[in-house]
Every structure is written in C-alpha cells, then in structure tokens.
Amino acid sequence: MTARSFAIYGKGGSGKSTIAAALSSAFADLGLRVLHIGCDPKADSSRPLLRRGRVRSVMGEAMTTRLLDASSVLVRGVKGITCVEAGGPEPGVGCAGRGISRTFELLAELGVSLASYDVVVYDVLGDVVCGGFAVPMREGHARYVAVTVSGTGMSLFAANNILRAVRRFHRNGVRLAGLIGNYHTGEAFRDRVPRFAAATGTSVLVEIPFDPQVQKAEERRATILDWRPQGATARAVRRLASRLLDLDDPPPPKPLEAEAFERFLARPRKRRRTAR
Amino acid sequence: MTARSGSFWDYLGRLAAGLAAEGCGCGAVLPDVDGGLLFALRDAAGRRHVARLRPSGGENRERGPSFERGTAPPAMIRRLRRAFLRFAARNPHPLLDHRGQDIGEILLRRGGELPEIWREELVPGTTRWSSFVLEELVPQSGALYATFRDGERRVRLRLTDREDPRLAGAERVLPVGNLALSLVEDDRTPPVRPADQVERFLAYLVARTTGPRTRIRGDGATSPSVTSYGGEVELNPFLPEGRQGASGMAAALSSRRGSRLKVVVFGDASCRQTFPPLRRLPLFDSWSCFPVGTAPEPGGWVAYDFSERDVIGGAERRLERLLRALRRRDPAVRIALVQTCVSRLIGDDVRGVLRKVLDDDAFVVLDPDFQAKDWAVDALVWPWVLRAFRRPVRQRRNLVNLVGLGGRGAPWAAELAGLLRDCGIGVNARLFPSFREEELERFDAAPLTVASRCSIVRSAFAGVDRTAGPSRWVTLDPPFGIEGTRRWVEGVVREIGGGPLRGAARDRLERACRARRRDLAPIRAALRGASIALVAQSRFSAWIFDPAEIFGIRILDLLTELGLEVEIFLHRDVPPPRELVRAVEGRGDVTFRTFDEAGALREALAASRSRLLLTSIRRNTPALALGKIPVFVQTFEPGLDGAVRSARRLAAGARFRFLERYGRYMRR
C-alpha cells in the first residue's frame, strides 16, 4: 500500500508545527504507521512527539559525519510515530532550501521507504520561498497540501502564495486538501477564512478554536491530543485527520491575483453582534 | 620549503633523536606515503613496535595529532604524543603542516614553470632525501617528472593523475589521493633502504601539500598562440575586455606570474571553466576573437571548490581558513575574490570574512551587479589596484605615468618610451589594462600621469581620486597615426612643464615622423583609390564616429593619413554627429550616402567600390557575402610603427580578392 502523504504549509507562526504534530498523533491513534518529517532548519517539529531528547537532523548529521546512517536520523516517538527532521544551516548562512532538497535525496539514498508507512506528514517551514521548500510538492512526496490560516491579511497572503505553488504542481499530482482555520491568536478575522476558501475554490477542512491548553501542551512537550484528549481542539484535529483520509481528488485551487486579493482584503467584514 | 629548511631526512633524524631523548624509545621516524609518519619504537623490555601518526588532514585537521598505536602500550603512545608535540613546537617544519586541502586541480604547462604550490618544496639542486638530490623537475605531457640522483644512481618518478592510462604499465605505483606516483627509471639495487626511498619522500610531500580531491592536468593539445607577446600576458588595451566581465578580469589578474595578487574563485568547480588561462588557451577577446596573449602558469589563482556541504551550511569558515593560509604564506598578499552565482545565492558574507583577515585595501570582490554596465568590473578593479600597490615614494622630475596604453609588453610600448626619452622624459609606470606591481609601487614618483582620452579609461578610473596622489592627471588623445603620435608627444612635453617642444628634441621627433612617412608612402601608393565603408545603421551604431568610443581614435583623420578614402553610409534616421559633419566639410575623400532600410543598404554597399568595411561584428556575414573585408577598430595600433603596421594590414585587406568571388558562400 502506498502511504498517504500530507504537507502542512502556512505562514510562519500560524500553528503548522502544532497541528502537524497533533495530526501525526491522531493518525497514530487510528492505528496507522506514521512518518513525521519536519522540513524546517530549526528542527523542532517533532518536539511534542518525542517528549524528551531531540531528533538528530539529517542535515546536522550530514554536515558532521562522513557516513550517514538511517538509524541515526529516524527516531521513534510517542505512539510509535517515526520522526525525521531535515534541519539546516545556522541562521544567516548557507541555503536552507537546498538543505531540504538534499534531505529528501539523502533519505532516498539511505533507503528510507515511505511505502512502509501508512501516512507521511510533512511540516514545512513558512511560505514556499524557493524551490527547496517546494520539494515535498515538486518531487511528488506529498500528495495533499493543507494550509493553515488564521484569517489575518498576512496569513491569507501567504496562503494565496502557497495556493499558487499547489496549482503549479497540480500537474505533478499534488492536490490541495483545503484550509485549516487555526484561530490561536484570536478569532477577530474568523469570517474571512470561509470567504477566502470560497474565493479560491477550496474548502475549510476544519476550524480550530482558540484554546490556551494548546500552549500548555507545547510547554510540556505534548500534543493537544495527549494533553487534553477530550477537549474541543483535540476533537477538531481528529476530525481533520478523518477528513484528510477521506480526500479523493480535489480540483486545483484558484489563487487570487494581486488586485483581486487586495479587493478581497478591503471588503468590509461582517460585524459580529454582541449582546449588550 | 624543503629548500628553506634543509633536508627532510635530516629533520626526521633530529626528530627521532629528540623523541629518544625524552624517553620514548624512538629509533627512527619515516614518512608514510599517505602523509602520515611512522615511528619505530622499542619498549623497556626491548620489544619492537611501530606507531603511526595519521595524516591529520581534511576533517581532522583541527583535532591535533592522532596516533595508531599498533602493538605499543597506550602509555608509550601518550608519551610519544606529548614529546612529538613539544619537538614540533620547538622545531617547526613546514611539511608537518598539512595544506593545499582545497586545491582542486594542478595544471602543468608543457615546458613552463612549476606549479606554485611546489615552487619552494621541490627545488632542483637543493631538495634532497638523504643522499639523493633532486636533479630535474619537468612538467611534460600532463605529468610531472622528478629525477633524483645520488652519484651514479638515478631514480626518475612520474606524478600523474590516478586515472592516467600510463599507470597501467608502471612497475610500482603509489596512490596519493587522486594522484599517483610511479617509477619510470630506477638504478637502485634492491632491497632499497629507507634512506634511498625517494618515492616515499615525494609521496609524503605530495600528500602534505595537496588535498584528497586534487587532480593534475596537462595543457592538452593547445599550443601557445603565435601572436603571444612573450611570457607575460599583456592585454591589448584596445580590446573591450571589460565586456568579458568578472571572469575575464580575474583571468587577467590571475595570470600575473610571481605576483602578490591572488585571485580566489569562490564558487563551485565549474566556475573555473570561465578562466581561459587556466584552460591553457590563448587569452582572446570574445568580441573580436583576436588573440592577445597566452597565459603563463596560473600562479596567482586559487581554486575554491564548493561542496554540497558549503552550499547548505555556508562556506565562510572554509573561506576564512583559505584566506589565513594565503596570508601566512605572504603577509602582504592582495586578494581579488570572484564571487560566483552560488556564493551570491547562498549569501555568504565574503566581505565580512575578508575584512576579518585582511586590511580594507588588501582585497577587492569582483562582484559586479548583474545589471551593471560593460565597464563595471574595470571601474571596480583599477582604482583598487592603484590603492593596493601604490607606495609613498619621493617624486622625481621628468617622469610620467601612462594610463590606457597597455603594459610594458605591448608592441608599441618601447617605441613610445623611446620617443619620450628623446624629449628627456622617462616612463615611470604603465597602467591599464596591464600593470606591474613594481611599477605601481613607484606610481607616485612621477609628477604627471597621462591618461588616454576614451571612454574605457574614463570609466575604469572614474573612481580614482586624482587629487589624492601627488601625480597630476591629464587626459590626452592617444597616439594613433603619425600626426596623432606627434601631437601626443608634444602634449606630454607641454603638460610636464617643458612648454612647446623645441630644439634637438623637436628635430628628433620630426626625423622619426619623416622616416615613418617614408615607410608609409609606398603603402599609401598601393592603397590609392581604395576606400573603406563606415556604416551607421542606427543611432546606436554611430559609435564609429565617436573617438571616445573607439579608444580615442579620430577615425576619419587616421584613415585619410593612412591613404584610404572613406564612404559613410548613414541611416536616414541617424542624425550625423556634429563633429562628423565638421570633420568632413570640404573634404573630397569622404562621401556620404543615406539609406532607409536593410535592402537599400545592401544594394548601396554592393554598388560601392569600398572593399573594406569597418565593423564591430566579428563574423559579419552580410558584409562577407557582399565581398567586403571586415576591418575592426583593433586593426589600428598606436605609435609611429603602429601606424605603418596598421596601414599594411589595410593594404593587405584591400588586395584580398577572395571574398569578392566566394564571399556569397559564407552567408550562413
């Protein structure tokens, strides 16, 4: 069986890593064999899945050792989730994008078979800033792309950019799963997310409400599913997992052109009625 | 290095004695062929052991010496390590230092000088191993042949690439990284004692001075151009080498033999492909395909081979190590760093690293903006060259610096210097596009600097603060043609404070001019009735009438002096330059024609009697198809002799009938 693969993209700070780790945990709860790949030079995506210790990143190992071994970069986390971190250069030097590309080449060279997993989750740094960060899409590693948005202008701007990349790689078999509305910084712009999804021809997979427990879970190096398994956020993540697994062949997105996007942002938002 | 520090054999003997004195039980130390050292030890019980000091290069360079102990007890090795470190600190030897790790390729030029990396280690007559003395060291057919001799005994070794097919038949081959050492001749009687094992010494030396990726290459089938100006590369100043961009400039700088200036190419292996001298090709101008010299051994060139690791993790640390190594070898080193695409993309802070290691004036980064104009590299490099090498010196009267007329090796340099000498003026330094460091060091000794009036020189030296130095800068029309040369000499005399040229000096100059006019007369007679076409198809091709754009040549005056009539073909939309109109007024030897489209021009040229056509297009097929001989601005040389040579070229072109019959077949 071929692994189902999902890449989580989104603006920096929009909760990609939190959701990706929780998603991996949700898949594992369903009894699936999960590979979690962090594509970020910070190498912190799998932190909540490990509880203690840290994955030695592929780039970190490749830079310091001559003979790279799969066992030194693949680490078993909670619920049997296998974690890999791409890693990358120190801040301000080198080319992190090339580091991501090289990670995938190295994983293939090391004989890491994605087919031995049921699900692969990619947590990708920020926006699709260069070819390196598009590798999960470009090389056909991730079949479905989900984009985290909070409804703020900048997060939608980044999402619109990512949609462009998805449309570009639609020919490679990449599909846009949809948007993940994550309102961890507040719900002031919540109404924009469904409108943006409608405008770009996609859908909102799930809306995750503001939940202070998410922050607490992160501080304790746990996913929200392990910290508050019955909470609203955990339920939303489980819903997301099952929706992702049910995806078939969504149509290509229709990202907005620059002017249309500006018009979209300028449109007055619906005011919420508040009880007096 | 070996030459400087005496025999390495003797040094190892002293090392063994020193270690024995410290109670290490060391009987002998021998070099290993991979760059390690072997220690013959004997413990207290009289048992023999062999310890090996690992080569310690590459990745482990900074971790200190590491020993393989073999059967020796650990305590013995610890003692040996400490004693070795103490001895090496008190008695440093260059061959204990592992360098050359970053060298990607060593190029051997047939019959040329040795690669710089071994210029100090392998000195014939001086370098020796025990009683064997290096007799000869010859680069030949892509290999380096070293001959050692001890009386009647002779050993000839060949250093080649490891892939070299000649190794298949070799009796004994010692691999050293990507290189291999093989025995070609051997007069020694077996068994060969360590004291006679010169191959062991040479392999060790190569391993210590090169890296694991170093390859060796010969100069292939390319032979030096016949038009080379001798050993030194001299660029023709009248070629727009600026258009070659950073790589052309770097090639020119790197080919300076024995220079303090090192060119560091900060990029991946393929970047070296942009360096004509390093490929052993004649250095030629890409625009005109005119060979302007051949490159000597690229002594001033330092390759930097980006690895994948550098691209991802940044290469600043390795660059710093490289710069420090260069600085160690020559504290006064000047670095021209070529920043390549890879380096620009990953954004290494090369200037920051350079500033960390060198003074501000000791480096320049050849990093012209991608959108920059043709002369951006010149404008960057030449002011720096002047800053980097200029030294405070006492000023001397009647000396002049010449800027924009080539270096000492230019064919017209001696003649121009002679003409000035006849007027009591000495040439102090020549600059652009060639230079010599020793001349630049004394640049300020001349009270006057004469620059050629043309756009290349103006652009290249726009950044020079002409008021900063004691030498006063003036601009004169360059000496093209006999009249032009006379005016130029008079101009230099006037500017240096001598007033108008008078007396014997004036007579000498007149005599020289008369003599060249006599030489020119038969050529002019041969050219009688011949004409040359000058075409301006658009506003942008009107450059041929602008002296500033063609190295300061006043083309109409020069062509007339050389005996040619001129036909000018102007597009109807091209406004005739005001100077041109003034220049042709009342002249019967210049005719104007206008045209409005390409077909009309073709017809006009076909009907024209001009056999020559001045063009900037190297392979001007429409002109060739019409049977015209393309003439380039580079045809014209400065100086009196240069005028005669230029006229001869034009006359030869005008006589050449081949294209009239067969030019139409050259259309494609």
Side-chain angles (χ1 to χ4, degrees):
Chain A
M1 178 189 155
T2 314
R4 306 209 68 167
S5 47
F6 307 98
I8 313 294
Y9 279 88
K11 183 184 171 298
S14 63
K16 292 180 301 297
S17 300
T18 309
I19 291 170
L23 195 57
S24 290
S25 181
F27 285 135
D29 285 342
L30 294 173
L32 300 170
R33 289 166 298 172
V34 182
L35 175 63
H36 181 95
I37 303 181
C39 303
D40 188 327
K42 293 197 298 293
D44 60 351
S45 176
S46 53
R47 187 173 167 271
L49 299 173
L50 291 178
R51 295 286 165 81
R52 68 168 71 91
R54 191 180 163 88
V55 177
R56 284 190 284 184
S57 73
V58 179
M59 276 302 105
E61 288 292 290
M63 300 262 201
T64 50
T65 51
R66 274 183 185 279
L67 294 171
L68 193 61
D69 181 12
S71 63
S72 64
V73 293
L74 294 179
V75 174
R76 188 59 64 90
V78 295
K79 301 175 187 173
I81 298 168
T82 307
C83 302
V84 179
E85 290 285 357
E90 289 170 30
V93 295
C95 179
R98 178 62 196 141
I100 302 291
S101 302
R102 186 69 189 135
T103 295
F104 285 94
E105 290 166 14
L106 280 172
L107 288 177
E109 285 168 22
L110 293 173
V112 176
S113 168
L114 303 188
S116 56
Y117 298 93
D118 299 317
V119 175
V120 183
V121 176
Y122 298 90
D123 173 20
V124 190
L125 163 91
D127 207 337
V128 188
V129 289
C130 70
F133 293 100
V135 164
M137 284 192 253
R138 197 181 62 212
E139 307 283 325
H141 295 295
R143 164 106 164 111
Y144 296 104
V145 171
V147 186
T148 54
V149 284
S150 64
T152 60
M154 287 299 105
S155 87
L156 293 176
F157 192 84
N160 198 48
N161 264 347
I162 295 162
L163 261 50
R164 281 191 193 145
V166 175
R167 186 178 59 176
R168 178 188 305 277
F169 296 116
H170 189 82
R171 58 172 184 254
N172 297 2
V174 176
R175 299 290 178 264
L176 179 71
L179 307 180
I180 302 170
N182 184 24
Y183 310 118
H184 66 305
T185 53
E187 304 196 358
F189 299 97
R190 187 171 182 158
D191 63 300
R192 268 185 183 166
V193 176
R195 282 202 293 120
F196 181 72
T200 53
T202 183
S203 60
V204 181
L205 291 166
V206 73
E207 292 188 285
I208 300 173
F210 169 72
D211 184 353
Q213 293 302 325
V214 174
Q215 187 63 32
K216 286 190 179 164
E218 274 189 356
E219 283 167 12
R220 283 159 182 77
R221 295 192 68 166
T223 65
I224 188 68
L225 269 77
D226 303 319
W227 178 248
R228 287 287 184 271
Q230 300 311 320
T233 307
R235 286 202 304 277
V237 173
R238 283 195 203 96
R239 212 162 47 242
L240 172 65
S242 74
R243 285 203 65 179
L244 287 174
L245 291 174
D246 289 341
L247 282 171
D248 188 20
D249 192 9
K254 293 178 286 185
L256 300 176
E257 293 304 320
E259 286 179 11
F261 185 79
E262 293 300 333
R263 279 200 302 276
F264 174 83
L265 284 188
R267 210 177 303 166
R269 292 183 296 112
K270 287 177 192 164
R271 283 193 176 277
R272 284 188 155 186
R273 285 171 186 269
T274 49
R276 294 197 176 212
Chain B
M1 198 177 285
T2 313
R4 210 165 53 210
S5 320
S7 161
F8 193 53
W9 170 262
D10 297 341
Y11 178 82
L12 293 181
R14 289 200 302 278
L15 171 61
L19 296 176
E22 297 229 17
C24 296
C26 184
V29 183
L30 279 179
D32 205 353
V33 293
D34 64 351
L37 285 176
L38 297 167
F39 296 80
L41 306 172
R42 193 184 285 261
D43 64 18
R47 283 189 298 269
R48 292 183 177 193
H49 307 281
V50 175
R52 182 173 179 276
L53 175 66
R54 292 194 180 92
S56 78
E59 303 299 326
N60 302 321
R61 228 181 320 192
E62 283 153 13
R63 295 185 188 168
S66 149
F67 282 85
E68 289 169 23
R69 70 182 175 91
T71 55
M76 191 173 192
I77 296 300
R78 281 197 295 275
R79 200 162 49 239
L80 176 69
R81 187 176 189 278
R82 282 196 298 271
F84 173 75
L85 282 173
R86 273 197 297 273
F87 184 90
R90 281 197 302 266
N91 309 281
H93 192 285
L95 280 184
L96 293 183
D97 183 22
H98 199 165
R99 58 190 175 75
Q101 284 288 295
D102 300 321
I103 295 174
E105 202 167 62
I106 298 164
L107 288 147
L108 299 173
R109 190 163 175 239
R110 192 167 29 216
E113 287 186 15
L114 282 169
E116 192 173 328
I117 55 164
W118 294 317
R119 206 166 274 173
E120 291 177 342
E121 287 91 343
L122 293 171
V123 183
T126 309
T127 301
R128 59 194 177 89
W129 174 251
S130 185
S131 53
F132 275 91
V133 179
L134 178 67
E135 183 183 59
E136 187 186 51
L137 194 65
V138 186
Q140 199 176 14
S141 313
L144 188 66
Y145 289 84
T147 309
F148 285 84
R149 184 183 282 279
D150 173 23
E152 291 302 305
R153 295 189 302 164
R154 190 163 176 264
V155 180
R156 190 164 156 82
L157 297 152
R158 178 174 56 203
L159 181 68
T160 56
D161 208 274
R162 205 167 168 177
E163 310 287 321
D164 196 291
R166 287 168 288 195
L167 293 177
E171 201 172 295
R172 189 171 176 211
V173 178
L174 296 175
V176 186
N178 276 332
L179 309 177
L181 202 61
S182 53
L183 271 170
V184 183
E185 285 175 45
D186 187 2
D187 293 340
R188 295 169 298 187
T189 317
V192 180
R193 297 175 305 131
D196 296 340
Q197 291 172 2
V198 286
E199 63 272 40
R200 175 189 286 274
F201 161 64
L202 195 56
Y204 174 85
L205 188 146
V206 171
R208 300 303 287 186
T209 49
T210 60
R213 285 200 301 272
T214 308
R215 290 198 171 276
I216 200 162
R217 229 166 47 79
D219 52 1
T222 311
S223 56
S225 157
V226 289
T227 51
S228 125
Y229 305 151
E232 185 193 1
V233 167
E234 280 290 345
L235 297 183
N236 186 334
F238 306 104
L239 294 175
E241 59 276 71
R243 289 180 192 182
Q244 295 174 6
S247 61
M249 177 60 74
L253 293 176
S254 70
S255 56
R256 309 199 57 73
R257 199 170 1 197
S259 167
R260 270 186 289 150
L261 201 155
K262 305 288 176 205
V263 175
V264 176
V265 184
F266 192 52
D268 81 357
S270 58
C271 298
R272 77 186 60 167
Q273 305 299 329
T274 60
F275 290 82
L278 308 173
R279 304 288 310 279
R280 310 269 60 78
L281 296 173
L283 191 62
F284 68 91
D285 171 69
S286 58
W287 179 40
S288 66
C289 227
F290 187 85
V292 292
T294 49
E297 193 65 29
W301 182 79
V302 182
Y304 186 97
D305 197 359
F306 258 53
S307 64
E308 182 83 82
R309 196 177 289 189
D310 293 324
V311 174
I312 297 169
E316 290 178 13
R317 242 177 286 171
R318 274 185 68 195
L319 175 64
E320 186 179 337
R321 203 182 298 163
L322 172 76
L323 294 174
R324 289 200 187 283
L326 289 171
R327 176 122 197 225
R328 259 200 310 277
R329 298 191 74 184
D330 178 7
V333 70
R334 300 283 181 266
I335 304 274
L337 187 135
V338 185
Q339 200 177 6
T340 58
C341 316
V342 179
S343 147
R344 283 183 66 125
L345 285 173
I346 66 172
D348 273 333
D349 180 19
V350 292
R351 285 183 179 79
V353 177
L354 282 158
R355 272 193 206 104
K356 207 165 150 189
V357 182
L358 301 160
D359 297 334
D360 272 359
D361 278 347
F363 67 86
V364 66
V365 179
L366 301 185
D367 179 23
D369 192 289
F370 289 139
Q371 302 297 319
K373 291 185 179 169
D374 288 348
W375 312 116
V377 187
D378 294 76
L380 182 73
V381 168
W382 294 105
W384 172 74
V385 160
L386 207 50
R387 264 198 330 273
F389 293 102
R390 215 168 174 170
R391 293 280 170 274
V393 285
R394 198 166 55 85
Q395 206 168 71
R396 291 169 54 198
R397 288 179 59 225
N398 292 338
L399 282 182
V400 67
N401 300 318
L402 302 181
V403 175
L405 285 171
R408 200 158 63 184
W412 47 84
E415 188 200 26
L416 293 182
L419 290 173
L420 292 178
R421 196 170 47 244
D422 286 345
C423 303
I425 299 169
V427 176
N428 177 54
R430 295 176 182 85
L431 177 62
F432 190 76
S434 304
F435 67 93
R436 289 189 177 211
E437 287 162 27
E438 65 271 23
E439 287 191 352
L440 287 189
E441 284 178 1
R442 57 170 195 252
F443 194 85
D444 286 342
L448 180 70
T449 296
V450 175
S452 289
R453 182 176 289 133
C454 62
S455 59
I456 313 174
V457 175
R458 192 177 57 229
S459 307
F461 293 92
V464 174
D465 183 359
R466 295 169 190 196
T467 56
S471 189
R472 186 168 64 90
W473 284 64
V474 296
T475 307
L476 295 178
D477 280 345
F480 281 98
I482 294 172
E483 273 308 301
T485 305
R486 190 177 58 76
R487 280 198 299 270
W488 180 78
V489 174
E490 287 172 348
V492 175
V493 173
R494 189 177 56 247
E495 292 292 345
I496 209 162
L501 194 58
R502 284 187 296 261
R506 184 186 170 84
D507 293 344
R508 277 196 293 270
L509 180 62
E510 285 303 333
R511 268 202 303 279
C513 290
R514 268 201 303 278
R516 293 312 180 285
R517 277 196 203 98
R518 274 199 301 277
D519 294 341
L520 197 58
I523 306 170
R524 279 175 59 94
L527 278 169
R528 186 162 301 135
S531 69
I532 183 167
L534 273 58
V535 182
Q537 275 176 282
S538 70
R539 207 177 324 146
F540 303 107
S541 54
W543 56 267
I544 50 175
F545 306 117
D546 184 356
E549 293 301 317
I550 50 174
F551 317 121
I553 301 172
R554 297 193 175 277
I555 193 76
L556 292 178
D557 293 344
L558 181 61
L559 289 171
T560 307
E561 185 178 38
L562 300 182
L564 277 170
E565 292 178 15
V566 181
E567 280 187 294
I568 295 173
F569 293 83
L570 277 179
H571 192 278
R572 190 165 292 167
D573 295 341
V574 179
R578 209 178 307 149
E579 281 186 19
L580 176 67
V581 173
R582 259 205 308 273
V584 299
E585 267 173 358
R587 285 172 65 158
D589 54 349
V590 178
T591 52
F592 264 116
R593 293 179 202 284
T594 56
F595 61 94
D596 52 7
E597 47 99 25
L601 172 65
R602 203 162 42 243
E603 281 171 24
L605 278 174
S608 145
R609 59 195 178 83
S610 292
R611 201 165 288 148
L612 306 170
L613 187 141
L614 185 69
T615 178
S616 64
I617 303 165
R618 183 159 35 113
R619 189 173 162 77
N620 194 335
T621 41
L624 294 172
L626 290 169
K628 306 295 176 196
I629 308 292
V631 171
F632 305 100
V633 176
Q634 291 77 27
T635 304
F636 307 104
E637 283 183 47
L640 301 175
D641 288 339
V644 178
R645 284 197 294 269
S646 306
R648 280 204 189 104
R649 284 185 198 123
L650 292 172
R655 278 199 307 271
F656 189 62
R657 297 296 176 98
F658 178 82
L659 289 176
E660 281 181 9
R661 290 185 65 181
Y662 301 109
R664 61 181 183 276
Y665 300 114
M666 301 174 78
R667 193 184 296 272
R668 275 176 295 177

